[in-house]
Amino acid sequence: MTEPAFSLCVYCGSRPGANPAFADTARTVGQWIGEHGGQLVYGGGRNGLMGIVADATMAAGGRAVGIIPKALVEREWAHQGCTELHVVDNMHERKRMMADKADAFLALPGGIGTFEEFFEVWAWRQLGYHDKPVGLLNVAGYYDGLMAFMRTGMEQQFMSGTQMDLIRVDSDAASLLPELVQAAGLSPAARLDAI
């Protein structure tokens, strides 16, 4: 099997969410990964946006690497159809393996788990534990409130513009995905269409 052109870690909800745009975007992201010879790294679930992005990646010819804690497998939430499914002991091991296998990170809409994972890889980037791009896909304004809160953090001098510059925020998957791959150093701008 050939090496994937890139490996994108996607954090997203284990529910589909109320707005059909969330599922549509998860499908678009997975399709883009697969069509560009990439590999999805994600939490290994079969439900909600997680299952949608994994299925779309594999349907488009990409690889889906799921990493899931044993407790969630026991609840029958694991996606047994993944290209690779790694069962780990706990959440810390899951997140570390996901980070190790990724060239870049992307958060789609999701709940508390998605928020926690997004903020953790952003904090790790600020602290110099990695130098991989971190993206936030603001589908249908889902993260508008979060962005406003982060601006409050800057206004109140708990955050800086330098910290905000460590993340890339966009509402359009077609713009953000190639930007993350390019920022990871995996393809110069002129070659993005070829991968």
Side-chain angles (χ1 to χ4, degrees):
M1 184 173 278
T2 60
E3 275 293 306
F6 59 89
S7 186
L8 181 64
C9 180
V10 175
Y11 304 123
C12 59
S14 60
R15 300 177 185 182
N19 189 330
F22 302 149
D24 291 343
T25 300
R27 200 169 291 108
T28 296
V29 168
Q31 186 173 353
W32 190 92
I33 293 169
E35 288 176 350
H36 291 84
Q39 171 175 278
L40 167 70
V41 175
Y42 84 116
R46 63 177 169 81
N47 300 325
L49 301 187
M50 293 175 77
I52 292 169
V53 72
D55 288 341
T57 298
M58 292 184 290
R63 294 171 44 80
V65 178
I67 303 165
I68 191 165
K70 194 177 347 182
L72 297 183
V73 174
E74 291 165 0
R75 293 182 189 176
E76 299 183 350
W77 291 352
H79 192 318
Q80 300 294 342
C82 287
T83 312
E84 293 177 27
L85 183 64
H86 300 271
V87 178
V88 297
D89 289 332
N90 55 56
M91 291 295 285
H92 294 293
E93 190 177 347
R94 175 200 218 180
K95 292 186 296 180
R96 181 176 179 163
M97 184 180 280
M98 289 169 75
D100 286 345
K101 290 185 173 292
D103 298 314
F105 305 94
L106 176 66
L108 300 180
I112 191 168
T114 302
F115 306 153
E116 190 264 344
E117 291 166 325
F118 166 72
F119 278 108
E120 184 172 65
V121 293
W122 183 14
W124 286 354
R125 175 118 195 239
Q126 177 198 322
L127 294 170
Y129 292 136
H130 72 83
D131 192 28
K132 300 173 183 180
V134 178
L136 185 68
L137 195 52
N138 188 16
V139 180
Y142 182 74
Y143 285 116
D144 286 352
L146 177 63
M147 297 305 298
F149 178 68
M150 290 193 288
R151 285 191 293 276
T152 298
M154 289 176 57
E155 291 164 6
Q156 297 301 319
Q157 300 179 9
F158 286 106
M159 294 175 58
S160 69
T162 304
Q163 290 169 313
M164 291 298 294
D165 289 344
L166 295 176
I167 59 171
R168 297 158 192 268
V169 182
D170 203 318
S171 60
D172 180 37
S175 298
L176 185 56
L177 289 165
E179 183 181 336
L180 290 172
V181 171
Q182 184 181 349
L186 299 172
S187 180
R191 296 191 58 229
L192 278 176
D193 291 336
I195 63 170

